[in-house]
Amino acid sequence: MTISENVPLTNYSTMHLGGSAAYLCEVTTRMEILEALTWAQQRTLPVIMIGTGSNIIWRDEGFAGLVIVNKILRFELFKEDETNTYLTIGAGEPWDSVVARSVQAGLSGIEALSLIPGTAGATPIQNVGAYGQDISQTLVTVEAFDTQVGDFVTLPASDCGFGYRTSRFKTTDRGRFYISGLSLHLSALSPTPPFYPAVSEYLSQHGINAPSSATVREAVVAIRSAKLPDPSVVNNTGSFFANPVISGGQLAQLQADHDTLIPHWSNDDGSVKLAAAWLIEQAGFKDYHDAETGMGTWPAQPLVLVNEHANSTASLLAFKQKIVTAVQAKFNLTLEQEPELLPLK
Ligand code: EPU
């Protein structure tokens, strides 16, 4: 395991902004996680573990500690019976490759999470979700180094505090766990409706009446590729804001105030989720290119902020603030940033 010094972090975030890390190393085994943590502890350095940096923004001042890049690979299927299969994966596996291989094995459960950038180990942190699936629905356990216990622990999904785009890993226990692996419960049965509207539309347009995990993956890949920029080509970190969740009463008031129907989805608890993309578009930021900051919004999906030629995280945050202020002024709603700004303060 090599520990490099003074490493620019621009290539460790798909937004390609931010300062340098005092130290950085890659780990490929659990043992190396321990070694890296011990090395940092001996020097009283803070630690941040990352995957491929597709949902993080580095501060311009950089990080005066050790960045651990998780490259732990593992993909093992355990077939319990004709229907149920358990999949054990290393946190450093590229997520889409995990989805592709599970679909190839004829399994369903994560096919709607196709083409999501990043590593497997990052998926529980914000309970990654798309097209009607999220990781909490198939997750059985998370294996992580628990800094409070000083050892590796196995957490059942019910202990992860999952919600919409959230978990204990990014709220109450932020920074406590370093995720090393996951296990998922997949099924040999075909996925069943209802599918997310865009997916059903694709399936019916292509005459697919009996969808399999492979055809749902095909649909999601087509939809995502049409709407979202590939982070290996365009500097972005996916959705930059979470969709705001408000009460039914607040929605009624907003619709009355604006004399318009506002796109929303109803949650089981009576709350509603609004489309942040719609709010941003209404606030005037659709296909927007800001000369002052070098930032813009992706033409087909304004929820995605793109670093066109920005040269600092300060510029990105200035652009973010323009959007937040405009949405606030128009709808009195505060958009919350979704990718993490690191190091935490
Ligand atoms: N919309 C607009 N204008 C646009 C695009 C969209 O008004 O230019 C409105 C439409 O009303 C549309 C709605 O926004 O129906 C929702 O758009 P979309 O289906 O693209 O989904 P989203 O809510 O904007 C979420 C996730 C995405 C995920 C998609 C698909 C969040 C914050 N984002 O986006 O996740 O791919 O659903 O399930 O929940 C990511 O996190 O990086 C990400 C891309």
Side-chain angles (χ1 to χ4, degrees):
M1 191 179 67
T2 318
I3 296 183
S4 311
E5 265 182 75
N6 199 20
V7 181
L9 287 165
T10 42
N11 288 330
Y12 292 92
S13 156
T14 53
M15 195 64 98
H16 293 282
L17 292 173
S20 296
Y23 303 96
L24 180 142
C25 70
E26 291 185 355
V27 296
T28 54
T29 61
R30 280 186 8 162
M31 192 50 92
E32 285 182 349
I33 294 185
L34 271 183
E35 272 175 46
L37 291 177
T38 309
W39 186 91
Q41 202 176 26
Q42 285 163 350
R43 290 158 182 81
T44 56
L45 290 171
V47 169
I48 292 176
M49 184 185 275
I50 64 165
T52 48
S54 57
N55 202 48
I56 55 182
I57 310 289
W58 293 109
R59 294 179 193 271
D60 288 325
E61 53 270 38
F63 179 51
L66 172 66
V67 172
I68 302 179
V69 184
N70 192 321
K71 298 234 162 162
I72 299 179
L73 301 182
R74 185 176 178 193
F75 183 94
E76 273 170 45
L77 292 169
F78 169 73
K79 186 171 171 180
E80 190 183 50
D81 55 37
E82 284 316 305
T83 309
N84 300 292
T85 291
Y86 290 87
L87 169 61
T88 306
I89 38 186
E93 284 283 351
W95 173 252
D96 191 53
S97 141
V98 169
V99 178
R101 281 178 281 170
S102 73
V103 166
Q104 240 155 38
L107 298 167
S108 73
I110 51 176
E111 61 282 354
L113 306 180
S114 288
L115 227 57
I116 288 183
T119 53
T123 58
I125 295 178
Q126 58 155 334
N127 185 19
V128 158
Y131 305 102
Q133 276 176 359
D134 65 44
I135 194 70
S136 75
Q137 296 161 357
T138 39
L139 191 91
V140 183
T141 55
V142 171
E143 181 201 72
F145 185 86
D146 182 347
T147 53
Q148 260 178 33
V149 175
D151 204 351
F152 284 92
V153 294
T154 301
L155 305 169
S158 54
D159 270 4
C160 294
F162 287 129
Y164 165 66
R165 291 287 153 129
T166 190
S167 76
R168 68 188 288 191
F169 307 114
K170 68 178 275 192
T171 53
T172 47
D173 284 315
R174 215 170 184 166
R176 170 173 165 183
F177 295 98
Y178 298 107
I179 296 177
S180 52
L182 316 175
S183 75
L184 307 179
H185 179 191
L186 303 176
S187 166
L189 303 176
S190 290
T192 44
F195 295 110
Y196 192 87
V199 174
S200 351
E201 223 168 274
Y202 179 97
L203 295 173
S204 63
Q205 272 169 9
H206 290 75
I208 300 163
N209 302 318
S212 62
S213 57
T215 50
V216 170
R217 173 169 168 80
E218 176 194 314
V220 170
V221 166
I223 298 162
R224 283 191 79 96
S225 314
K227 263 201 194 172
L228 298 167
D230 176 352
S232 65
V233 182
V234 177
N235 302 330
N236 79 95
T237 50
S239 298
F240 199 81
F241 300 101
N243 287 325
V245 176
I246 62 171
S247 69
Q250 275 175 293
L251 173 68
Q253 188 61 52
L254 267 178
Q255 301 203 121
D257 290 349
H258 290 269
D259 193 24
T260 186
L261 289 175
I262 296 180
H264 65 274
W265 293 267
S266 301
N267 295 323
D268 294 340
D269 62 3
S271 66
V272 292
K273 195 166 83 175
L274 303 184
W278 184 88
L279 301 170
I280 294 169
E281 182 173 341
Q282 296 299 310
F285 284 90
K286 171 106 177 165
D287 198 0
Y288 193 92
H289 308 276
D290 189 40
E292 194 188 343
T293 58
M295 294 293 305
T297 56
W298 186 246
Q301 175 44 295
L303 191 48
V304 175
L305 303 197
V306 176
N307 167 11
E308 294 175 335
H309 52 87
N311 46 26
S312 67
T313 298
S315 297
L316 159 67
L317 297 178
F319 183 60
K320 165 200 159 176
Q321 200 49 49
K322 290 185 187 191
I323 296 178
V324 171
T325 306
V327 168
Q328 221 155 24
K330 196 165 169 96
F331 298 103
N332 195 24
L333 289 169
T334 307
L335 292 179
E336 296 296 338
Q337 180 171 328
E338 200 225 51
E340 268 196 320
L341 187 60
L342 293 177
L344 301 173
K345 270 192 178 155

